[in-house]
Amino acid sequence: MEALLCRKLGDPTVCLEDNDSPIVLSKNHPIPQLDSPTAVRVRIKATSLNFANYLQILGTYQEKPSLPFIPGSDFSGYVDAVGPKVSNFRVGDCVCSFAGLGSFAQFIVVDESQLFRVPPGCDLVAAGALAVAFGTSHVALVHRAQLTSGQVLLVLGAAGGVGLAAVQIGKVCGATVIAVARGAEKVQLLKSLGVDHVVDLGNENVTESVKKFLQTRRLKGVDVLYDPVGGKLTKESLRLLKWGANILIIGFASGEIPVIPVNIALVKNWTVHGLYWGSYKIHRPGVLEDSVKELLSWLARGLISIHISHSYPPSEVNLAFSAIKDRKVIGKVMVVFDEKHSRSKL
């Protein structure tokens, strides 16, 4: 089978044909075999690139697998083979899931308990981008912050994968959603999703813009801060939080880890949540399962949509990583295992 193999740590944006590339495209990697009676082999249609995948290949992510390894996390595809005790799936079923590693390949083997059926009518490629981005935002907002109708949600990095997921989940929950992004194209997309107020970092100050909006709506402040960015933007946003606010620390896309003054957190009774979605698979797997099931039901009902801005074949995965690195992605970027597929912007 075809598989993208990380043989050394380094910059994944380097062309695969270059000797400096940490990734090689193996054309004859062994197809994984069923390893238990309840195992299912999936022929992967599409796999999503996440910022964590980029950091993992660079060697700067918190989890450092042994070399060589096949990167990848969330995916979608068709059931290819099932173990003798598999009862919920048959060959040909459309499914999606997530794994710690291994989705940057044509086949993957997982236990049937970790698979989710893709509802009829849902785009299979889009379903491959659901688990990590939407799962992260859903667990953060619904399970941790317990966002409710009428609250004010401020989403930083709102045009990225987790950001677009967060604003949509916020609207489903009935919150007033404020989104922060950069550039006219991103602002327009966020407005089309029903976001109540969008701050364009290209020509607006976050504090001034949000305060003006809050005053117009006669709102006292932000109840929930969703922060996958970090850096100076976090510090600015803290000024907008009301008493008793929830702060969700999702990541540090800016490359800068912010300092949250705990004395102010004490006085204002803020709750700071660190959210490492992947660790739920070990400590609270039931939460992840319920989360993905609810998201798939929302997807089937049209309550959420998955915006894919770029799609690439495996041979051009370096271009996919470049799109993430250069902040060209609005929503998700995918690798699609399809012989007829060519590089495109959707």
Side-chain angles (χ1 to χ4, degrees):
M1 69 171 183
E2 282 191 348
L4 291 162
L5 195 65
C6 180
R7 56 181 181 171
K8 62 182 180 181
L9 301 180
D11 184 356
T13 66
V14 175
C15 178
L16 268 61
E17 297 177 358
D18 194 309
N19 288 333
D20 290 333
S21 173
I23 304 171
V24 293
L25 177 59
S26 173
K27 297 283 189 177
N28 57 356
H29 198 80
I31 295 176
Q33 301 302 304
L34 300 178
D35 53 9
S36 79
T38 56
V40 177
R41 184 167 65 216
V42 177
R43 183 182 184 94
I44 292 178
K45 170 67 175 179
T47 182
S48 168
L49 270 72
N50 298 287
F51 193 64
N53 304 132
Y54 174 73
L55 295 177
Q56 197 167 54
I57 296 170
L58 278 176
T60 59
Y61 196 58
Q62 53 259 38
E63 292 182 356
K64 296 177 172 59
S66 301
L67 295 167
F69 65 90
I70 299 174
S73 44
D74 40 357
F75 63 90
S76 60
Y78 308 95
V79 172
D80 177 72
V82 297
K85 292 189 177 181
V86 171
S87 58
N88 295 323
F89 299 96
R90 295 185 297 177
V91 172
D93 284 347
C94 294
V95 294
C96 66
S97 188
F98 53 90
L101 293 169
S103 71
F104 285 13
Q106 283 185 302
F107 293 93
I108 192 169
V109 171
V110 298
D111 190 82
E112 73 166 329
S113 64
Q114 299 175 14
L115 276 181
F116 302 89
R117 194 181 306 276
V118 176
C122 293
D123 182 78
L124 189 58
V125 173
L130 178 86
V132 174
F134 277 82
T136 296
S137 296
H138 185 271
V139 171
L141 294 171
V142 176
H143 292 273
R144 297 294 292 275
Q146 299 181 356
L147 182 69
T148 58
S149 178
Q151 289 190 314
V152 178
L153 168 66
L154 174 60
V155 180
L156 308 183
V162 294
L164 278 181
V167 298
Q168 292 185 69
I169 292 168
K171 295 304 295 182
V172 173
C173 291
T176 297
V177 179
I178 303 170
V180 179
R182 186 185 299 273
E185 187 179 0
K186 295 177 179 179
V187 168
Q188 186 59 42
L189 175 61
L190 289 163
K191 288 181 177 179
S192 74
L193 293 173
V195 172
D196 297 276
H197 181 66
V198 184
V199 181
D200 185 349
L201 286 175
N203 51 42
E204 292 182 280
N205 176 273
V206 173
T207 305
E208 293 176 1
S209 179
V210 174
K211 280 186 175 180
K212 184 177 180 181
F213 169 76
L214 293 172
Q215 289 170 358
T216 302
R217 291 287 187 96
R218 296 183 178 179
L219 297 167
K220 294 181 179 180
V222 171
D223 295 283
V224 179
L225 170 63
Y226 183 94
D227 184 8
V229 178
K232 295 179 181 178
L233 200 54
T234 303
K235 185 177 180 180
E236 284 188 59
S237 301
L238 295 179
R239 301 169 186 167
L240 301 165
L241 303 186
K242 65 192 299 186
W243 187 95
N246 284 278
I247 302 170
L248 294 163
I249 306 299
I250 308 300
F252 315 105
S254 68
E256 297 179 30
I257 299 176
V259 175
I260 297 176
V262 293
N263 58 323
I264 298 178
L266 182 152
V267 172
K268 293 195 174 183
N269 280 267
W270 290 341
T271 301
V272 182
H273 304 268
L275 196 285
Y276 176 32
W277 182 83
S279 64
Y280 270 77
K281 190 172 183 179
I282 300 171
H283 301 287
R284 298 285 300 278
V287 171
L288 288 193
E289 182 179 354
D290 292 344
S291 175
V292 174
K293 285 181 177 178
E294 182 163 54
L295 287 167
L296 284 169
S297 73
W298 288 358
L299 184 65
R301 292 157 57 194
L303 296 177
I304 58 174
S305 61
I306 301 171
H307 185 82
I308 299 173
S309 67
H310 294 75
S311 182
Y312 296 89
S315 60
E316 296 182 348
V317 69
N318 61 298
L319 299 180
F321 278 116
S322 292
I324 291 178
K325 180 182 179 181
D326 298 337
R327 303 183 187 277
K328 295 178 180 178
V329 177
I330 303 176
K332 297 297 295 181
V333 58
M334 308 293 293
V335 169
V336 178
F337 285 88
D338 185 338
E339 291 181 359
K340 297 180 181 180
H341 183 80
S342 59
R343 174 163 52 96
S344 64
K345 180 175 182 180
L346 304 180

